[in-house]
Amino acid sequence: MSSALTDLFPHPIVQAPMAGGVSVPQLAAAVAEAGGLGFLAAGYKTADGMYQEIKQLRGLTGRPFGVNLFMPQPEYADAAAVDVYAHQLAGEAAWYETELGDPDSGRDDGYDAKLAVLLDNPVPVVSFHFGVPTGEVLESLRRAGTFTLVTATTPDEALAVQRAGADAVIVQGVEAGGHQGTHRDNPETDRSGIGLLSLLAQVRETVTLPLVAAGGIMRGSQIAAALAAGASAAQLGTAFLATQESGANALHKQALTNPLFVRTELTRAFSGRPARGLVNRFMREHGPYAPAAYPEIHHLTSPLRKKAASSGDPQGMALWAGQGHRMARELPAGQLVEVLAAELAAAATALSGKGGPR
């Protein structure tokens, strides 16, 4: 891996940026202080909101950290399909005694304003989701001293990341919780996601950039497997969602290991883009009918999700989680990094044959 990144954190452990209030400064600071790379999620925040969190994080740790941005989305949603889905959700709005959100609340997530902040007040690492920034953007961040990563879910996407001039690729397998970082939202490919280990091997043979593996990783032994498959570090989301410092709703944390929620699926029900979460009532009832319309559906369902959470009803919440959710551990984030690092060291010793039977 490029020393420009490995010099930033001792352990090859990256805390995934989870939007929606999960990746708070306290979580990122705890991970960074323990030797991992903590991340803030700028998604769904204003530029000033992002800046205030960066200031707060810098007050908690002097160690390097990252900030994640969502790429602006092209305008190709079918307005009629969004209207039909809104009518279908009318019963949910009545049940939760709230109004549906405005689907036309914005498509760019304040991208340009956030970039301006990050160029004026550079951070060590910036990552991008839902597409590839321009070469000019990546070069401007490089001149500011920022290391850049971009998510890819296929070898072709990884090649596009390399051609744009990013410093590294986040290789996201289909096992990952939350939104798939596909560069183009194509409904025809909804069920064609690639598992992490297979994807890592394919991407390793396609690009020369350093790779960060993401998708279903919950144990140090899995990090070791990802490193053996060609990654230089691993990014974990669900594993950190359950930690004490995580900003996730308590119902969300409990659901990860609640026997009531036995599996995950990719769904468009909550946002209009494929995202993996625990299967609940809302997903079962509305997932089959949700159109490909992000961020319109995200805006539309936002009040429903918030009201479900405030009402203590996990059956109406977006319970994002990766396939390894049952392995979640309720530990302080710093302790989790230490445990993962110890498990990784043990697995590496076993793989080298030094700790095996003679």
Side-chain angles (χ1 to χ4, degrees), residues 196-277:
L196 178 58
L197 288 180
S198 178
L199 183 59
L200 275 172
Q202 294 176 53
V203 172
R204 183 71 287 160
E205 294 186 3
T206 305
V207 302
T208 58
L209 293 178
L211 310 181
V212 177
I217 300 175
M218 303 292 288
R219 296 287 188 267
S221 58
Q222 292 173 288
I223 298 174
L227 300 185
S232 298
Q235 179 173 277
L236 292 74
T238 306
F240 285 106
L241 190 152
T243 60
Q244 295 175 13
E245 293 87 349
S246 158
N249 185 288
L251 293 171
H252 193 169
K253 293 183 180 183
Q254 294 162 9
L256 295 176
T257 53
N258 187 334
L260 186 64
F261 302 101
V262 297
R263 60 190 175 88
T264 65
E265 282 185 7
L266 287 169
T267 185
R268 294 179 180 272
F270 298 101
S271 73
R273 231 182 189 277
R276 183 174 296 282

Side-chain angles (χ1 to χ4, degrees), residues 240-330:
F240 285 106
L241 190 152
T243 60
Q244 295 175 13
E245 293 87 349
S246 158
N249 185 288
L251 293 171
H252 193 169
K253 293 183 180 183
Q254 294 162 9
L256 295 176
T257 53
N258 187 334
L260 186 64
F261 302 101
V262 297
R263 60 190 175 88
T264 65
E265 282 185 7
L266 287 169
T267 185
R268 294 179 180 272
F270 298 101
S271 73
R273 231 182 189 277
R276 183 174 296 282
L278 300 171
V279 177
N280 60 4
R281 178 195 60 79
F282 194 101
M283 189 188 295
R284 287 192 298 269
E285 293 183 0
H286 302 293
Y289 312 105
Y294 177 88
E296 288 87 352
I297 302 304
H298 164 77
H299 296 315
L300 188 72
T301 66
S302 180
L304 300 177
R305 291 178 277 121
K306 290 177 180 177
K307 192 61 182 291
S310 65
S311 302
D313 181 13
Q315 295 296 340
M317 298 168 59
L319 302 172
W320 302 139
Q323 288 184 343
H325 65 95
R326 303 290 295 196
M327 302 167 73
R329 296 179 280 204
E330 296 182 14

Side-chain angles (χ1 to χ4, degrees), residues 118-136:
L118 293 171
L119 289 171
D120 288 340
N121 302 272
V123 299
V125 181
V126 170
S127 67
F128 298 85
H129 210 57
F130 297 148
V132 187
T134 65
E136 291 77 12

Side-chain angles (χ1 to χ4, degrees), residues 15 22-34 36-40 57 60-61 64-66 245 333:
Q15 166 245 312
V22 179
S23 296
V24 293
Q26 292 81 359
L27 174 60
V31 172
E33 285 293 307
L37 181 65
F39 252 96
L40 294 175
L57 177 53
L60 295 172
T61 181
F65 61 90
E245 293 87 349

Side-chain angles (χ1 to χ4, degrees), residues 53-118:
E53 286 206 343
I54 291 172
K55 285 177 58 179
Q56 185 180 355
L57 177 53
R58 282 178 165 147
L60 295 172
T61 181
R63 293 179 180 269
F65 61 90
V67 175
N68 174 257
L69 299 182
F70 287 168
M71 292 297 298
Q73 297 301 291
E75 296 186 22
Y76 60 79
D78 184 343
V82 174
D83 287 341
V84 169
Y85 194 56
H87 284 298
Q88 180 180 330
L89 295 178
E92 296 283 351
W95 174 257
Y96 288 115
E97 299 181 336
T98 188
E99 300 291 328
L100 294 175
D102 178 6
D104 299 316
S105 296
R107 306 191 58 80
D108 67 357
D109 199 48
Y111 179 74
D112 290 336
K114 291 172 184 175
L115 269 179
V117 170
L118 293 171

